[in-house]
Amino acid sequence: MKRPLLTKHRAAILAGTFALIAASCGSGDESTTSDPVATVAATSPATPTSEAPPGSEPEASPVPDSNCPPAASNSESQPSGVVVDLPDDDSGYTEGVVVDRSGNVFVSLIRTGTVLELAPGSDEPEVFGQIPDWSDDGVGFLGLAADEVGNIYGAAASDTTAGIWKFDCVSGVATRIAGTEEMVFANGVVVDQTGIIYATDADSGADGDTGLGAIWRIDTDGPATKWLESAALGSADPDSELPGANGLAVDDDVIYVANTAQSLVLAIPILPDGSPGDPTTIVDVVAPDGVTLDADGRLYVTSALNEIVRVDLDGTVARLAAGPDAPLACPTSLVVGAGTTAGTMYVTNLDGGCDGAGPDLVAFDIKTAPFVTDAADGPPEALFVVGDAANPDPLDQFLVDIAGSNDIAVTLLDDDETNTADGQSALQASDLVMISGSVDPSTVSADLAALAVPLINLAGELSVDLGMATESGETPSGETWIAMNPDTADHPLAAQLEGQQDAYSAPVDALNFGVVGDQAIVIATAPGAPPLTAHYAYEAGTVMADGTTAPARRHASYAPLESLSSVSGISAVLFFAGIDWLLGRT
């Protein structure tokens, strides 16, 4: 059935986002492979191909491969909760997930080029296939898809085994589709009902100072061709390590694509002649990775905030409140089951990207899951005090964008305007005050200390003036991590993170610290001896470091962040946990 494009729900479009960093690993278990590496057309010789030229729609669905078994009706249901918790080693880095027509679940392992298979309701995976001559020399083995007859397809971003691979429905033997070895960053893959394959290239090149991404199309008669290349599918910065076009889903004449770098989901019409229409923004989601559709046409998206975002046909956005029934840890891909598991959502977690947090594959009932609809009475209003509101620092603009993606309306205010009557009125009328590291502390009004509005401070030395610390500064770092305080592990500000966490993807020069009061909520400490408090807060009404009472919730972060490329997914999780706590959402 055809359906209209989903309407855009939010106004803020993100220009940057957080990198999800996975630890480097070696090779994994061996399984049956073909040698040497084979490259084939999109369909096997047994499959009739369309006579239509590339770029046009075939007149009929392809005939099933002659050796594929008929679809079976699964009889097992899938309990909600943990499905698979793989060992915390090479085999624990999961990315893609797909369900075939018989309800079998397939999962890709990033570092080993392996596809695992689970029968419906099973928690015991078996090796289904392996990319031959696999070499972990790139990003890894990512998205998965299944066609109507049971073949599995996977996207590999690697120097030597790059491209889209077809895993035979019976043997699991993998062969690369001709032409896809030219893809720069094969990321997501999907197969429509006619057998046409679409795949994302998250970093296809650059146009001047703009990074490009692409979608490739592989018709039933081959070969692979670049269907659409656009800045909307790439990263704004061509030198960024953040992926652009990522997961994708197809519904008749519309393709939905997650752009991780730009933190948005796009809808791209498939025109009658098979060519792409203009991309349209559907919803802003922080660092989206995977997208999928259910039988009712609702769109689901994974977010780096450990959320699943659902978009209904009318544009209404709802979010899954993660909990024991859906333990999300940097979720990557997601898919709806088949047969008796048609009401089940399977989700893979990027285990390594969350510093060992798991499990790797979870499931939940989408009809009973606690999806919460976004508030309709308008977003909270935040005032962001910065060094230059007319020409904001790129990091300031970045924080504005990601706050906007979390339904917060942000207005910039010059630091010297905090001393004016208009500035004071605006501060007092806001729901949240954010203070940037770009401010001049000597210029900011001393009245901010008594402001009865929740406040987050990213300017380290200003914490003393705000009464939050008796001493504040920057500690030499050269590290990438902060250490979570086990005594506050259950606090909402900790975002369920424990132990040492990589807050940065590369060593940073310094981290803010504060010498805090006895009633401070210490969330994390910076590297060094003795450990210095880097991430802390005060509840409203508690005594702060200078002996005054906190007039509202106060929070100090471990910023400054030298560059957006150094920020990890953990930073996103903690930033939004802080914002939600300050606003009373948690």
Side-chain angles (χ1 to χ4, degrees):
M1 105 180 146
K2 294 192 176 186
R3 64 194 188 92
L5 298 182
L6 296 172
T7 57
K8 180 179 177 182
H9 178 72
R10 299 182 180 180
I13 298 179
L14 307 186
T17 189
F18 296 86
L20 299 179
I21 307 302
S24 298
C25 301
S27 60
D29 296 338
E30 296 182 355
S31 63
T32 304
T33 63
S34 59
D35 189 24
V37 174
T39 301
V40 299
T43 58
S44 68
T47 304
T49 58
S50 169
E51 296 180 357
S56 62
E57 295 293 332
E59 296 181 358
S61 299
V63 177
D65 289 355
S66 59
N67 61 338
C68 286
S73 298
N74 58 318
S75 58
E76 296 294 328
S77 60
Q78 179 66 62
S80 294
V82 176
V83 179
V84 175
D85 192 359
L86 297 172
D88 292 331
D89 54 21
D90 296 356
S91 63
Y93 295 91
T94 53
E95 169 75 18
V97 61
V98 72
V99 174
D100 70 7
R101 59 183 181 163
S102 297
N104 300 305
V105 184
F106 299 83
V107 176
S108 64
L109 301 184
I110 295 176
R111 298 301 178 199
T112 66
T114 307
V115 177
L116 300 181
E117 178 183 8
L118 297 93
S122 171
D123 59 0
E124 298 181 0
E126 298 181 355
V127 173
F128 174 75
Q130 169 78 47
I131 293 179
D133 299 332
W134 172 260
S135 177
D136 183 21
D137 57 6
V139 176
F141 187 35
L142 304 175
L144 290 182
D147 64 20
E148 290 290 310
V149 299
N151 298 304
I152 304 299
Y153 300 82
S158 164
D159 292 339
T160 58
T161 51
I164 304 301
W165 291 79
K166 176 182 177 181
F167 295 81
D168 182 77
C169 56
V170 175
S171 66
V173 170
T175 48
R176 182 164 49 193
I177 297 176
T180 63
E181 68 275 7
E182 300 298 324
M183 298 179 72
V184 179
F185 189 159
N187 201 340
V189 60
V190 70
V191 186
D192 72 9
Q193 294 180 350
T194 69
I196 295 175
I197 303 166
Y198 296 91
T200 54
D201 191 338
D203 181 14
S204 64
D207 180 11
D209 295 331
T210 302
L212 302 176
I215 296 177
W216 288 61
R217 171 171 166 153
I218 306 158
D219 289 292
T220 55
D221 56 354
T225 58
K226 192 178 291 184
W227 184 64
L228 172 65
E229 187 170 46
S230 170
L233 298 172
S235 175
D237 180 1
D239 296 324
S240 173
E241 297 180 357
L242 305 180
N246 202 324
L248 72 171
V250 61
D251 182 19
D252 290 333
D253 55 2
V254 180
I255 291 179
Y256 300 96
V257 185
N259 186 320
T260 305
Q262 297 190 42
S263 285
L264 51 83
V265 179
L266 300 168
I268 304 172
I270 303 173
L271 301 180
D273 64 355
S275 63
D278 294 331
T280 302
T281 299
I282 295 301
V283 64
D284 302 331
V285 176
V286 173
D289 195 317
V291 294
T292 196
L293 294 155
D294 66 15
D296 296 324
R298 293 179 295 190
L299 183 72
Y300 297 82
V301 187
T302 58
S303 166
L305 299 184
N306 293 338
E307 293 179 329
I308 305 297
V309 176
R310 186 183 72 202
V311 187
D312 293 334
L313 290 173
D314 63 358
T316 300
V317 176
R319 302 176 188 278
L320 173 66
D325 291 336
L328 302 175
C330 292
T332 53
S333 300
L334 71 175
V335 69
V336 178
T340 58
T341 60
T344 300
M345 179 78 74
Y346 293 95
V347 184
T348 48
N349 287 318
L350 182 62
D351 201 354
C354 283
D355 201 24
D360 303 272
L361 179 66
V362 298
F364 56 90
D365 188 332
I366 57 177
K367 294 182 179 179
T368 61
F371 278 94
V372 180
T373 301
D374 285 355
D377 56 353
E381 296 183 358
L383 203 61
F384 192 14
V385 182
V386 299
D388 187 349
N391 299 287
D393 180 272
L395 180 56
D396 290 341
Q397 186 59 53
F398 174 67
L399 293 175
V400 170
D401 290 338
I402 62 174
S405 77
N406 203 30
D407 281 343
I408 300 172
V410 181
T411 301
L412 297 178
L413 181 71
D414 272 321
D415 49 10
D416 57 2
E417 290 295 314
T418 60
N419 290 289
T420 67
D422 288 344
Q424 284 291 315
S425 296
L427 288 163
Q428 295 169 9
S430 64
D431 298 309
L432 171 69
V433 171
M434 302 162 55
I435 302 179
S436 168
S438 67
V439 302
D440 179 353
S442 65
T443 304
V444 176
S445 171
D447 293 337
L448 284 180
L451 187 65
V453 175
L455 181 150
I456 180 170
N457 178 41
L458 307 177
E461 59 183 294
L462 197 61
S463 294
V464 174
D465 295 335
L466 293 170
M468 301 169 67
T470 57
E471 179 183 347
S472 184
E474 294 182 347
T475 176
S477 177
E479 300 285 356
T480 62
W481 54 273
I482 57 176
M484 305 302 295
N485 179 10
D487 295 335
T488 56
D490 295 333
H491 196 279
L493 283 169
Q496 300 180 345
L497 300 175
E498 298 178 354
Q500 184 171 303
Q501 295 287 338
D502 274 332
Y504 302 98
S505 58
V508 293
D509 294 336
L511 287 170
N512 282 342
F513 74 90
V515 178
V516 300
D518 293 339
Q519 295 188 25
I521 306 166
V522 177
I523 299 299
T525 56
L532 296 168
T533 302
H535 204 64
Y536 59 97
Y538 294 91
E539 182 60 83
T542 60
V543 178
M544 296 195 296
D546 67 347
T548 62
T549 299
R553 286 181 169 178
R554 294 289 190 259
H555 179 31
S557 176
Y558 54 81
L561 315 177
E562 289 86 350
S563 66
L564 301 185
S565 62
S566 70
V567 184
S568 81
I570 298 304
S571 296
V573 172
L574 289 173
F575 178 81
F576 279 96
I579 295 297
D580 286 343
W581 178 76
L582 288 166
L583 291 172
R585 293 173 170 176
T586 57

